[in-house]
Amino acid sequence: MDFTLQQLSRAETGAVDSHLGTCEGCRALLEEERALGRRLAAVPRVEARSELWAVTRALAMEPAATAPVRAPKALRRPFQLRFPWPAARPYAAAFAAGVATVVLLVAPNVPAPEAAPGARVIAQTLDQARQVARQSDDPMGDMTDRTWEALTVSHQGAPGS
Amino acid sequence: MKITQGWRLLQSGTQSDEALVERCARGDESAFKELFDRHHRMVYNLAFRMTGNHSDAEEIAPEVFVKVWRKASEFRGQSRVSTWLYRIAANMAMDRMRSARTTKEVFWEDLAPVDKEMPDLRQATETPEDAAMRREDNRILAAAIERLSADDRLLVTLYHLQGCSYAEIEDITGISQVNIKSKLFRARRRLRDTMVTTQKGDAPDDVQRSTTTTDGFHFAAALQS
């Protein structure tokens, strides 16, 4: 293309010229390049509608869009501050719920929450996970919520509860 | 800016693009209008050729100028204003292409008229048969361009359809000039291959009908005269 646009140095142009004199394949390729370049260059412009300026002006003169309203940092829950990535919160919640499930399955004879500090911690963790999941925009939040409900039922129905 | 351009602007009493952007930064609406008048065709055509339809181009072009109006104070003059505009327009068009979910078709009857400032003089003298042949050629070319990847289409559009130099394209896209040349070469080869296949009648239905959509876009209208 540099050759077709005459952007090569005199020496380079001479070398290409001499090669083209003996190579039919390159001559054909060069002609194809030139022909396609001409066809592309001949593509006409299109015209925008006359209302384009009015639309542009109206949009430009509008007040700039305000950022989504978020609670001040001081009002946010400490747990959220430890998980600054919103997308990660439901996964963290799901992980906590999973840990709790494993604990409940492996140790079905866990004493009632009021009698065991460990169970209280699990319940608090699940509650916290549920709250975080509910506050998240991620669809996982709903799933975690349902997991919580199922866990609550199974835990209440467990022996010793 | 080249000296000859500056001298021409001085003679004609018009301001440079950079001066207009400075005035935009101060909230001068008349400067904004002047900037729009100078560059909206270029921006609109780029958006139209990338997305292949007027409705997207009509959304993208105003957004480009709104961004310029709001960000004028941040323009440092490290590149030309036109390059800045192209960069914004290209990014917006690429974003639009990537986020497209639905198939769009442009009907031949909806094609826009040729730019009045650049009339296609062939139309005045050609016979109906020649016109039909030219339309068919354009249809095949359009379908081939449509099948290029978004990146290749941007390069072909900027270089061949918008007339940007390699240096300008490097500023706009961040791709080195060496890579631009090799990518363009490969894109042209793909174009030729697709066009040859289509002319032989071996192309898939979507190419032959020229209402195909690749990435949800249609490019044919950009090439129709």
Side-chain angles (χ1 to χ4, degrees), chain A residues 5 33 44 46 49 57 62, chain B residues 29 45 49 58 159 188:
Chain A
L5 296 175
E33 280 278 313
V46 293
R49 288 190 202 185
R57 184 185 174 282
E62 272 181 2
Chain B
E29 204 179 310
N45 272 268
R49 284 167 174 163
E58 283 168 0
Y159 186 78
R188 282 193 300 270

Side-chain angles (χ1 to χ4, degrees), chain B residues 192-204:
Chain B
R192 273 199 302 274
D193 289 347
T194 308
M195 288 163 68
V196 168
T197 309
T198 308
Q199 280 166 335
K200 283 180 182 171
D202 299 335

Side-chain angles (χ1 to χ4, degrees), chain A residues 3-59:
Chain A
F3 178 77
T4 61
L5 296 175
Q6 299 172 340
Q7 291 181 349
L8 299 180
S9 67
R10 184 177 293 182
E12 289 169 331
T13 303
V16 174
D17 268 335
S18 66
H19 175 73
L20 288 172
T22 60
C23 181
E24 195 174 333
C26 284
R27 274 204 306 275
L29 183 65
L30 178 64
E31 184 46 43
E32 280 182 5
E33 280 278 313
R34 284 175 168 159
L36 184 59
R38 283 194 297 270
R39 287 181 71 172
L40 288 166
V43 171
R45 285 185 179 184
V46 293
E47 186 70 85
R49 288 190 202 185
S50 57
E51 298 88 4
L52 199 66
W53 164 246
V55 173
T56 304
R57 184 185 174 282
L59 287 172

Side-chain angles (χ1 to χ4, degrees), chain A residues 46, chain B residues 43-54 57 218-219 221-222:
Chain A
V46 293
Chain B
V43 168
Y44 186 86
N45 272 268
L46 175 64
F48 178 70
R49 284 167 174 163
M50 287 299 292
T51 62
N53 67 84
H54 284 285
H218 192 287
F219 198 85

Side-chain angles (χ1 to χ4, degrees), chain B residues 15-113:
Chain B
Q15 285 192 303
S16 68
D17 287 344
E18 288 73 16
L20 290 176
V21 171
E22 278 181 30
R23 285 171 55 198
C24 284
R26 297 195 296 269
D28 187 336
E29 204 179 310
S30 65
F32 183 46
K33 174 74 163 67
E34 176 68 25
L35 204 60
F36 177 89
D37 286 343
R38 284 186 195 179
H39 296 290
H40 81 271
R41 283 185 185 83
M42 168 196 90
V43 168
Y44 186 86
N45 272 268
L46 175 64
F48 178 70
R49 284 167 174 163
M50 287 299 292
T51 62
N53 67 84
H54 284 285
S55 61
D56 279 335
E58 283 168 0
E59 284 184 25
I60 290 170
E63 285 174 16
V64 170
F65 284 96
V66 169
K67 189 158 190 177
V68 166
W69 173 250
R70 292 190 176 149
K71 302 281 184 185
S73 60
E74 297 173 21
F75 181 69
R76 296 285 170 262
Q78 290 169 342
S79 59
R80 291 166 59 184
V81 171
S82 59
T83 303
W84 186 39
L85 282 162
Y86 263 135
R87 193 181 306 138
I88 297 171
N91 283 334
M92 286 186 173
M94 296 285 272
D95 285 348
R96 184 66 61 100
M97 292 174 74
R98 290 191 188 108
S99 64
R101 291 284 182 272
T102 56
T103 293
K104 295 174 182 174
E105 288 193 357
V106 178
F107 296 96
W108 298 104
E109 292 79 6
D110 294 337
L111 298 172

